[in-house]
Every structure is written in structure tokens, then in C-alpha cells.
Amino acid sequence: MSFTVAIIGRPNVGKSTLFNRLVGKRVAIVDDMPGVTRDRREGDATLSDLKFRVIDTAGLEDAHDESLESRMRQQTETAFLEADIGLMVIDARTGITPIDEHFANWLRRHDTPVILVANKCEGAAGQPGLLESYSLGIGEPVPLSAEHGEGMADLYEALQPYIDKAAADAAYAASLEEDDDNDDIILPEDSGEEADDDAVLNRPLQMAIVGRPNVGKSTLINKLLGEERLLTGPEAGITRDSITVPWIYKGREFKLVDTAGLRRRAKVIDKVEALSGAETRRAIDYAQVVALVLDARDMLEKQDLTIARNIIDEGRALIIVVNKWDLIKNGKEALDRLH
């Protein structure tokens, strides 16, 4: 059984901090600056004996145009609608805002159940906001502090009935489909080293997609997946976290890792961009294959060569991907530059 929990809420209420707490490690970038998270990030969560899939999402904003904020909102809404349950997080220290009320009204119009989470409830400063959150009309709030790990037992009690019911429903469905003729199953005679070798060979191949900002890394992954899974747009630097998504090609399982664009370190002055760059370099470390995406219009700049050298130095298989080829007028000349 796979049970999915989507963490939603307006920007800077502590969604990524709660995500990191549930997955047990710091994988999502956390910063005081609002709007750090943009793409959906998924991880395997454990809360005592509860195990489920958790999705970190971008902050909800009331934007319905062609802006980046609007596209982020669409990604978040998709994650919520596809999840088994949503955790709507509010900042108890700030109290209820008009944006909280707006999206609480939106949540009530859908069938996906919601648990209201009042974050930052450590100390007395969060008590007024906790009491005020009842006015949202989406149930009794769960008070917690994701940063300090307080209130996780209360979150467990809120989630347990939903996960137990889903597990019971899955077990019942499996019993209806169970094949009674199990005597015909033939087990392999040798389940030793050869079986272990097969398990290693059948592990998903981890492939990181890297390159400079705005070369089309996220667009490439969306095209491979056949869906708009990752946030894209004309703005440079949209991707901040390294996002891992599963992909199957001709029966082979892959883990595609979308990464933030890498600029020369001398040009990086923003803290979040520095953290994003560190995430990208970590993705290279853990990948078996790295696809370096180039912009066909100005490929093999010094930064491209630096990234390629780092990939080779790490001992990873390197694939060169030349994107935006449709914008090239003289293909032969462009290939000569690449060679």
C-alpha cells in the first residue's frame, strides 16, 4: 500500500521543515525567505510505526495568470488533488491571514481529506493563532513545532485512522484478486549470489540532469515523463531543490534527478542559490550517470567545461545533451564548435 500525504499552505509557514522532520533528514532547502520551495518534492516518511509518502509543495498564492507564482500554485493544487490526504500548515505565531482563509475555502470544495496543522506552536506566542485557526472550518488543528519536533505524537494520532483505513482497504482489495492456485509458483533453486547480482542490476539507475541555469533541464525531464511534473518557464533559476522522479524506459527503472542550474561560484552571492548549488553537486555524487545539458546557442562555455570536468573527476558516466537545437540555423557549424 502506498499512502500519500501532501503538505500545503501559504509561503514560509514551515512546510519544508515539517517535510524534513517526517523524512528524517534535511533534504528540502529551508530558509527564512518566503517562496524557497517551488517544485513538488517527494520522500518516504516515518512517524513511529506509520510509513507513507510525503510531498513538499510550493507556498499557495492567489495568482491566476501566467506568472511563476501561478504555475507554482497549479503544481501545489495538483499534488493535493492526487494525494490521499493533505496537511494544511498555518503559522500560529502570525495567525490566520486572508490567504489562509482563501485556500481553506478551496480545500473544503474537494474530496481529499485535510488535517489542519498549526506550526510554530512552541512557547506561548503561538496560542492565539492556534485558537484562531478553528475559524477556518477544516477541523481541529494539530499544534506542533516542526523545527523542534514538538507535537509529532498529536500528528500521529491525526494521521493514523486514515492510514489504517487505507491499509485495510488495500488488504481487502488484494484478497479479492488473490490467485488461489499458488501451487504452480516455481521458486528458483539458487537464491544466493546470482539473486543478489540480479537485485543489484535491477536497481533503478540514478541519472542527474545538470547544467547552467535556463538550459532546459526541467523541460527535458517533463518530455521524458510525458507530463508537466516539474515547474518550467522562461525565468532563469526556477529549480532550487534537487527533485527526484521515477521513470521507466523499455522496462528499465530510472530515477531522474532535476537540479538547480550551476553558475560560477564567484557569481553566487545569494544564500539560497549557494544551497541549491550544493544540492546539485550532491546529486552528481550520488548518480551513476550524469546528463550535462547545453544550450545549443552558446554551448561549451567555460562553466560547461567546469561542470563536465567535475563529473568526470567524480567517476560518473557523462552524457552530453545539446538542447534548443531547433534555434540553430547552421547545424554543421554548431557541431563543429561542439567537437
Side-chain angles (χ1 to χ4, degrees), residues 279-292:
E279 282 282 303
T280 297
R281 294 180 184 92
R282 190 176 297 112
I284 293 173
D285 293 342
Y286 284 95
Q288 286 91 40
V289 178
V290 180
L292 173 57

Side-chain angles (χ1 to χ4, degrees), residues 160-305:
Q160 185 184 27
Y162 295 98
I163 296 179
D164 287 350
K165 182 180 184 304
D169 291 345
Y172 177 70
S175 68
L176 294 179
E177 298 176 0
E178 185 178 359
D179 184 2
D180 294 328
D181 192 10
N182 291 326
D183 294 336
D184 293 339
I185 298 177
I186 301 175
L187 298 175
E189 295 181 2
D190 185 3
S191 58
E193 293 184 4
E194 289 186 7
D196 292 338
D197 291 341
D198 289 342
V200 172
L201 291 173
N202 290 328
R203 287 178 185 169
L205 184 69
Q206 187 144 319
M207 183 166 70
I209 314 296
V210 304
R212 289 181 284 118
N214 213 33
V215 294
K217 301 180 292 297
S218 300
T219 303
L220 172 62
I221 293 180
N222 283 344
K223 183 62 67 174
L224 292 174
L225 296 174
E227 61 174 301
E228 293 297 312
R229 170 61 178 82
L230 299 168
L231 194 63
T232 60
E235 304 90 348
I238 289 179
T239 301
R240 285 172 169 168
D241 286 290
S242 294
I243 307 297
T244 302
V245 291
W247 178 52
I248 298 178
Y249 180 70
K250 294 185 176 179
R252 183 71 164 93
E253 292 186 25
F254 290 80
K255 288 184 177 180
L256 303 178
V257 185
D258 189 26
T259 64
L262 286 172
R263 296 199 299 161
R264 287 192 292 125
R265 297 197 185 193
K267 290 187 175 182
V268 177
I269 58 174
D270 180 73
K271 176 186 174 183
V272 172
E273 185 178 359
L275 292 172
S276 297
E279 282 282 303
T280 297
R281 294 180 184 92
R282 190 176 297 112
I284 293 173
D285 293 342
Y286 284 95
Q288 286 91 40
V289 178
V290 180
L292 173 57
V293 183
L294 310 178
D295 188 324
R297 297 168 297 180
D298 54 357
M299 55 188 164
L300 286 183
E301 288 192 350
K302 183 178 180 180
Q303 179 64 1
D304 295 323
L305 297 174

Side-chain angles (χ1 to χ4, degrees), residues 21-165:
R21 174 71 58 182
L22 290 172
V23 300
K25 52 187 175 181
R26 189 184 177 95
V27 290
I29 295 176
V30 176
D31 192 79
D32 291 335
M33 182 180 70
V36 170
T37 302
R38 289 174 172 173
D39 276 298
R40 288 178 276 163
R41 177 159 199 160
E42 300 184 24
D44 293 321
T46 301
L47 188 57
S48 187
D49 59 342
L50 301 180
K51 298 185 185 301
F52 50 93
R53 194 77 175 158
V54 63
I55 307 173
D56 187 23
T57 66
L60 285 165
E61 298 192 56
D62 190 16
H64 296 268
D65 49 22
E66 298 301 317
S67 65
L68 176 60
E69 290 76 14
S70 178
R71 301 198 302 275
M72 290 162 59
R73 176 191 54 77
Q74 292 171 17
Q75 286 279 333
T76 297
E77 290 180 356
T78 298
F80 170 72
L81 294 174
E82 292 178 353
D84 294 295
I85 194 169
L87 300 182
M88 181 179 174
V89 183
I90 61 113
D91 183 340
R93 289 177 175 261
T94 302
I96 301 303
T97 68
I99 291 293
D100 292 323
E101 294 173 345
H102 172 81
F103 285 105
N105 291 334
W106 181 83
L107 292 172
R108 285 199 298 268
R109 294 198 296 268
H110 295 84
D111 294 331
T112 306
V114 179
I115 294 174
L116 178 61
V117 173
N119 191 27
K120 307 182 185 181
C121 274
E122 66 277 11
Q127 289 305 306
L130 173 64
L131 296 175
E132 189 182 357
S133 67
Y134 282 89
S135 66
L136 293 176
I138 51 177
E140 182 176 354
V142 176
L144 58 79
S145 170
E147 184 174 358
H148 297 93
E150 299 175 7
M152 302 309 288
D154 294 330
L155 182 59
Y156 173 93
E157 291 183 3
L159 279 171
Q160 185 184 27
Y162 295 98
I163 296 179
D164 287 350
K165 182 180 184 304

